[in-house]
Amino acid sequence: RSAASETPLLIVLEDVHWMDALSHDLLETLARVSENLPICYVLAYRPPDIARIQAPRLEKLSYFTKIELRDLTASDAEQLIRAKLAMLFPERTGMLPRALADELTLKAQGNPFFIEELINYLHDRGLNPYDERAFRELELPASLQTLILSRIDQLTEPLKVTLKVASIIGRVFPFSWLYGYYPSLGEESAVKDQLAQLSRLDLTPLDTPDPELAYLFKHIVTQEVAYGSLSFTTRAQLHELLARYLEAAYPGDAPVEILA
């Protein structure tokens, strides 16, 4: 109330379909008491599978507006393809090859993240997307998970290790935690350089700048694929290393939820 009296507030909550019951209750309460305040909540969520969230409690509020985001149309997909190509291949010009647009649209099935990752895949391999013959000779990965795994496999070994070790922490990972719990990654400057490279590759873009430096897996699927590529034994060992680091780094005030 105090902050909203000074300036309008925009509060964005992502992945609300994963929200726990108490947080869902809290959100409903906040939404109700904010009715006459200059506060806008933007909630991003998939159709929920959990029964307690399926009841449209928030959606029944008179000041709730629902905007359904459906799969991209062929026209929307083509616009995204053109924009992504212009960003990654600014030196390339010419007409968008029809075969490229059709194949990417068919593979992605209206999923914008899949389209972006397919074009990243072409860029990683140094392929000229305007060379129709070269494109036709390339076999694109069949699924999003396979595609991301292929991109990870193309990385240098240090980048690959950094990405996998980071996946233990979660979708968002503070640099201090990553460097602190697994110092074998190398010198601090080297690890920061590796993260900068992963950010440029659009795998783990910057989430928070210094002094609270943190990075974010571009998509939850990217984190899941990196995590799933580790053996069970390795994952267990890394989880223990992270837990011991957090207990030592926060004596008397350990982040219990993360430890759990």
Side-chain angles (χ1 to χ4, degrees):
R1 286 179 185 274
S2 176
S5 68
E6 297 178 6
T7 183
L9 299 181
L10 175 66
I11 299 175
V12 181
L13 301 177
E14 298 193 56
D15 297 326
V16 173
H17 50 277
W18 288 334
M19 183 175 281
D20 63 86
L22 287 176
S23 296
H24 194 251
D25 292 343
L26 174 60
L27 174 60
E28 183 183 7
T29 300
L30 291 173
R32 290 185 182 280
V33 301
S34 302
E35 179 178 3
N36 297 314
L37 296 173
I39 300 176
C40 177
Y41 294 91
V42 176
L43 315 176
Y45 56 94
R46 296 198 297 267
D49 297 324
I50 305 172
R52 63 174 167 74
I53 297 181
Q54 287 176 350
R57 291 152 52 185
L58 288 169
E59 295 186 12
K60 281 186 174 179
L61 297 175
S62 62
Y63 41 95
F64 177 91
T65 301
K66 185 174 183 177
I67 303 172
E68 291 194 23
L69 301 180
R70 303 186 182 279
D71 294 343
L72 295 182
T73 64
S75 174
D76 292 337
E78 187 167 320
Q79 286 188 51
L80 175 59
I81 291 169
R82 292 181 185 278
K84 186 71 174 179
L85 288 175
M87 183 178 74
L88 290 183
F89 303 91
E91 73 285 356
R92 306 286 187 185
T93 57
M95 294 288 291
L96 176 66
R98 190 73 259 158
L100 173 67
D102 291 345
E103 182 68 15
L104 295 183
T105 302
L106 179 65
K107 283 279 187 187
Q109 292 292 299
N111 183 330
F113 178 62
F114 201 170
I115 290 175
E116 286 194 85
E117 286 301 295
L118 284 167
I119 298 175
N120 284 330
Y121 178 79
L122 301 180
H123 184 261
D124 290 349
R125 289 175 170 261
L127 183 76
N128 177 4
Y130 295 94
D131 184 347
E132 193 165 333
R133 188 183 66 178
F135 174 73
R136 287 186 179 279
E137 293 175 355
L138 179 69
E139 184 174 348
L140 292 173
S143 69
L144 182 56
Q145 286 78 4
T146 304
L147 171 60
I148 294 173
L149 190 58
S150 297
R151 291 199 66 206
I152 292 175
D153 286 342
Q154 292 293 314
L155 299 174
T156 63
E157 198 59 31
L159 292 181
K160 205 180 299 184
V161 171
T162 298
L163 192 71
K164 293 180 179 182
V165 170
S167 73
I168 295 293
I169 299 173
R171 187 176 178 190
V172 177
F173 55 96
F175 172 79
S176 60
W177 289 16
L178 176 66
Y179 181 70
Y181 104 87
Y182 202 77
S184 299
L185 289 175
E187 296 292 332
E188 181 176 347
S189 58
V191 179
K192 286 185 175 180
D193 182 62
Q194 291 162 16
L195 291 171
Q197 291 182 60
L198 291 170
S199 180
R200 286 194 294 272
L201 291 170
D202 212 22
L203 289 167
T204 56
L206 180 69
D207 183 66
T208 309
D210 279 326
E212 298 179 3
L213 185 62
Y215 290 83
L216 166 79
F217 279 90
K218 175 73 178 286
H219 195 283
I220 189 65
V221 177
T222 307
Q223 189 235 339
E224 289 173 348
V225 170
Y227 184 82
S229 66
L230 295 165
S231 69
F232 180 83
T233 301
T234 301
R235 291 204 302 262
Q237 291 171 342
L238 292 175
H239 276 296
E240 182 173 0
L241 287 175
L242 176 60
R244 292 189 181 281
Y245 165 75
L246 293 175
E247 286 178 331
Y250 301 92
D253 187 28
V256 178
E257 290 186 4
I258 299 295
L259 287 171

